[in-house]
Amino acid sequence: MTTNPRISPAAPRRAGRREWTALCVLMLPLLLVSMDVSVLYFAVPEISADLEPSGTQQLWIFDIYAFVLAGLLMTMGSLGDRIGRRRLLLIGAAAFGAASLVAAYADSAETLIAARAVLGIGGATLMPSTMALTRTMFTDPGQRATAIGIWSGVMTAGVALGSVLSGVLVEFFWWGSVFLVNLPAMALLLLLGPVLLPEWREPRPGRFDLLSVPLSMAAVLPVVYGLKEIPSEGWNVRYVVSLTVGLLFAALFVHRQRTTPSPMISPALFRGPGFTPAVALNLLAAFGMMGSAYFTTQYLQSVLGKSALEAALWGLLPSLLVGVAAPVATALVQRGVNRAYVVAAGFTTAACGYGLLAGAGPDDLWLVLAGAGVLAAGIVTVMSQMTDLALGAAPVERAGSASSLLETGQEFGGALGMAVLGSVGTAVYHHEIPASAPAPARETLGGALAVAEQLPGATGDALAAAARAAFTTGMQGAAVAGAAVLLGAAALAAVTLRGVRARDHEPVPDTAGEDPAAAGDDSAIGQDAADPART
């Protein structure tokens, strides 16, 4: 590697055909990682019939991927900054492909759970690496904003496509095929990645703080677990304890990062202009997105009676607006519209989507789809802008850590949205369902429909209708609460982002773990970062 030049934010190198081609390659793992969050939606019945897992094992088959992914994001983001982002990406791709093969042909529930856990590890390496490499390749603010808009759109679309792909593959093949689709894309990444993607690592990374790894996992996993379980089972003491334990470890983790000479997540990141508001507002955006998904999926299947595949196909329609929202937002900011107003407008648009959901009745398919689409467009507007702002504010050598913080915040925000809005909807449902209904019917809509099927004629129909109406009323109440949160977020964005320019600031130098004499060398960025086409 040659002498480290300084990259001036005033004259960034514009990306060419090679970098845009490399971005297309990066989108492959991102799409698959985001799809794997929902790819088992329709495969679970087939898996249950084939592997006969216990109830607990079935839950772990579904949830272990997201838990491991959330718990390791910060670790892998920091590790990529230290050992090389391309290297970590390719290691993760190999692990993801191998685990996919094992999962496809798993002959026991234990094997499938273990494979899904390794998939989560691979996913945790792939997500921050793809975002950090995007930051490395696109140093021009305008090009970077466009690239990050594409990144955000692909990630959002992947979650929607995962469930549809699952339904189609299970319909025509067998459940293992939902994992085999990962193999061609990972093979292509392993083949083209070394040729097209630049390598980048911190020039002076310092010692890797091993203690921060278990501390970060102990902070993230109990909180995510508690928040994910609360919507279905309420504020059980076990989940409150889980949240408390996680928050205590979070405090210890923050203390460790502030006091150790070589932190996993450098406190200097939060001195970057706009970085802290970007992380917080991105979390609130995830709150709004996942909070709505909790209701709309159930509405399509349980209220309208759509089959799982029909519901997934209908659910694709709202994502069409996502492809328009991020590019429009990027164009507005590049033409001089204050980013604060664009983000505030995104939150307000999402709140309007919740407003449409609040007006939906038990038979309003198109109104619910319109509400979900408007909401998704507003949320993607916010997420694309906050990702661009956070990565632009972070030093290039900390892009992996910055990416992992954003993505961990999204995991927290999504789980919090499901917990809070799910609890609101459940409370309204309990209030609306007739007190004379059987106990299972008073707990959930699914329980009510199961009981209704066993009751004779008009009695069962009446119970099912009452339960659907109660669920819809609960969705309306949650939508009002969600709209209030997002309108508050819009006001917060207008205040906290008003002084943040659309173009790059000089990132705050990160001197943690460096020789004091080197601190003045800005980011000490190597030749590979200065010229992303060179490896």
Side-chain angles (χ1 to χ4, degrees):
M1 183 176 288
T2 60
T3 304
N4 294 333
R6 171 179 172 175
I7 294 178
S8 172
R13 177 187 181 278
R14 286 185 63 81
R17 182 182 302 173
R18 183 188 183 100
E19 287 77 22
W20 289 107
T21 304
L23 179 66
C24 294
V25 174
L26 280 181
M27 294 304 98
L28 290 174
L30 177 63
L31 182 66
L32 292 173
V33 169
S34 57
M35 282 171 54
D36 256 47
V37 173
S38 57
V39 78
L40 287 188
Y41 279 179
F42 301 145
V44 167
E46 297 275 348
I47 292 173
S48 298
D50 191 14
L51 302 184
E52 299 181 352
S54 66
T56 301
Q57 288 175 329
Q58 182 169 307
L59 288 174
W60 278 114
I61 288 171
F62 195 83
D63 289 337
I64 190 68
Y65 174 81
F67 284 146
V68 173
L69 177 71
L72 287 176
L73 279 170
M74 286 191 288
T75 297
M76 294 305 181
S78 178
L79 187 62
D81 288 340
R82 292 166 183 272
I83 72 169
R85 294 162 187 167
R86 185 182 67 186
R87 177 184 295 178
L88 186 65
L89 179 75
L90 297 179
I91 292 172
F96 202 87
S100 297
L101 187 61
V102 172
Y105 294 101
D107 57 1
S108 68
E110 293 82 0
T111 301
L112 183 55
I113 291 170
R116 288 277 288 170
V118 177
L119 283 169
I121 296 172
T125 69
L126 294 171
M127 290 189 71
S129 295
T130 57
M131 190 186 291
L133 283 168
T134 301
R135 170 69 173 95
T136 303
M137 293 188 297
F138 297 93
T139 57
D140 176 79
Q143 289 186 320
R144 188 188 65 236
T146 300
I148 288 175
I150 295 171
W151 191 98
S152 300
V154 168
M155 184 184 66
T156 304
V159 177
L161 287 173
S163 58
V164 176
L165 183 65
S166 171
V168 172
L169 290 175
V170 170
E171 180 75 20
F172 294 102
F173 300 99
W174 95 109
W175 63 264
S177 61
V178 304
F179 298 107
L180 289 182
V181 293
N182 296 333
L183 299 182
M186 292 302 163
L188 189 62
L189 175 61
L190 290 170
L191 180 65
L192 297 180
V195 178
L196 292 174
L197 298 175
E199 182 57 288
W200 201 98
R201 66 179 63 85
E202 251 188 284
R204 302 177 182 88
R207 180 178 59 86
F208 186 72
D209 185 32
L210 291 175
L211 181 58
S212 290
V213 176
L215 281 178
S216 66
M217 295 185 70
V220 172
L221 293 180
V223 174
V224 171
Y225 170 74
L227 291 175
K228 282 182 177 292
E229 296 299 320
I230 284 170
S232 58
E233 298 193 30
W235 291 85
N236 187 294
V237 173
R238 182 167 70 253
Y239 306 138
V240 174
V241 170
S242 180
L243 291 174
T244 303
V245 169
L247 292 175
L248 288 174
F249 275 106
L252 291 174
F253 177 76
V254 170
H255 177 74
R256 177 72 180 177
Q257 305 316 295
R258 297 180 66 180
T259 56
T260 186
S262 184
M264 176 189 291
I265 303 295
S266 173
L269 276 174
F270 295 92
R271 297 200 295 270
F275 183 83
T276 300
V279 173
L281 293 170
N282 201 56
L283 184 152
L284 290 172
F287 176 102
M289 178 64 83
M290 295 306 297
S292 70
Y294 177 78
F295 290 97
T296 54
T297 53
Q298 291 188 71
Y299 181 91
L300 291 173
Q301 288 186 257
S302 299
V303 175
L304 297 182
K306 305 291 183 184
S307 69
L309 184 56
E310 285 178 324
L313 291 172
W314 279 111
L316 280 178
L317 289 180
S319 65
L320 296 177
L321 291 176
V322 170
V324 178
V328 169
T330 299
L332 289 173
V333 172
Q334 290 178 353
R335 293 188 179 188
V337 178
N338 192 307
R339 195 196 302 264
Y341 301 142
V342 174
V343 174
F347 275 122
T348 303
T349 299
C352 291
Y354 266 127
L356 293 175
L357 292 179
D363 193 26
D364 284 327
L365 171 63
W366 289 105
L367 185 59
V368 168
L369 293 177
V374 171
L375 190 148
I379 292 300
V380 169
T381 295
V382 173
M383 285 185 166
S384 63
Q385 290 303 306
M386 292 303 90
T387 301
D388 180 45
L389 175 59
L391 292 184
V396 178
E397 68 270 21
R398 291 291 185 180
S401 298
S403 303
S404 66
L405 276 175
L406 278 172
E407 290 155 4
T408 302
Q410 284 182 199
E411 293 290 332
F412 277 130
L416 187 63
M418 293 177 67
V420 173
L421 299 186
S423 296
V424 171
T426 300
V428 174
Y429 177 85
H430 290 165
H431 181 268
E432 294 293 320
I433 196 75
S436 58
R442 294 197 301 272
E443 292 299 319
T444 65
L445 174 58
L449 296 179
V451 170
E453 288 182 356
Q454 301 173 2
L455 295 176
T459 303
D461 293 342
L463 176 59
R468 290 187 176 105
F471 177 87
T472 303
T473 304
M475 182 179 73
Q476 294 167 350
V480 171
V485 171
L486 294 184
L487 288 175
L492 182 64
V495 172
T496 59
L497 301 179
R498 186 173 298 166
V500 180
R501 296 178 301 173
R503 298 292 177 180
D504 279 346
H505 294 262
E506 181 75 28
V508 176
D510 183 1
T511 60
E514 293 185 4
D515 190 304
D521 186 24
D522 289 304
S523 302
I525 300 169
Q527 179 70 31
D528 293 333
D531 183 2
R534 298 182 61 177
T535 59

